[in-house]
Amino acid sequence: MAILKQYKKSDGTTAWFYKLYMGKDPITGKERRTTRRGFKTKKEACLDLARLQLEIESKGLNNNSVRTYRELYNLWMSQHTLNIRNTTEQRVRNYFTNQILPSF
């Protein structure tokens, strides 16, 4: 079930948001909910809501593709290297490949 509402921002403009109950997580048994904000129109919010519901129906709730520590490390490193210098990247890569990943 989804809730679609309009709200007023601090600068005086209005925007739309929705809250969506996505179901229960099969692994943890906890309820999964999401809130998406910042849509300029109700139509934009409805379209994004429909897209998200379709994605949940097709892929399901648990769409984690990471299965190993190395996959998680590669995913994290690809994002982390955008914000660090080359020397730091080299140091972190060496530490992970020589110290952390072999122990797992």
Side-chain angles (χ1 to χ4, degrees):
M1 180 176 158
I3 299 171
L4 207 67
K5 287 188 179 181
Q6 189 176 20
Y7 67 98
K8 186 175 259 190
K9 293 182 177 181
S10 60
D11 63 357
T13 60
T14 58
W16 287 84
F17 78 96
Y18 66 84
K19 291 183 179 183
L20 177 66
Y21 171 74
M22 300 188 310
K24 287 195 173 190
D25 191 340
I27 296 174
T28 62
K30 295 182 180 180
E31 292 183 350
R32 299 263 316 256
R33 298 177 186 269
T34 187
T35 302
R36 306 282 169 99
R37 296 180 162 264
F39 299 102
K40 293 179 183 175
T41 64
K42 184 176 182 179
K43 185 176 181 179
E44 283 182 22
C46 286
L47 287 173
D48 192 67
L49 174 62
R51 180 199 54 79
L52 182 60
Q53 286 176 332
L54 182 64
E55 184 178 319
I56 290 170
E57 287 177 13
S58 65
K59 294 183 180 178
L61 280 179
N62 209 4
N63 56 359
N64 296 337
S65 61
V66 178
R67 290 188 175 85
T68 65
Y69 288 109
R70 185 168 297 281
E71 289 175 2
L72 180 62
Y73 161 72
N74 290 333
L75 180 65
W76 172 77
M77 196 62 178
S78 66
Q79 292 297 313
H80 188 59
T81 54
L82 302 175
N83 302 323
I84 59 175
R85 287 187 247 150
N86 292 338
T87 55
T88 306
E89 178 186 351
Q90 182 181 6
R91 183 179 48 80
V92 170
R93 281 190 191 278
N94 287 338
Y95 185 70
F96 266 88
T97 55
N98 296 332
Q99 302 291 326
I100 295 175
L101 291 176
S103 66
F104 285 114

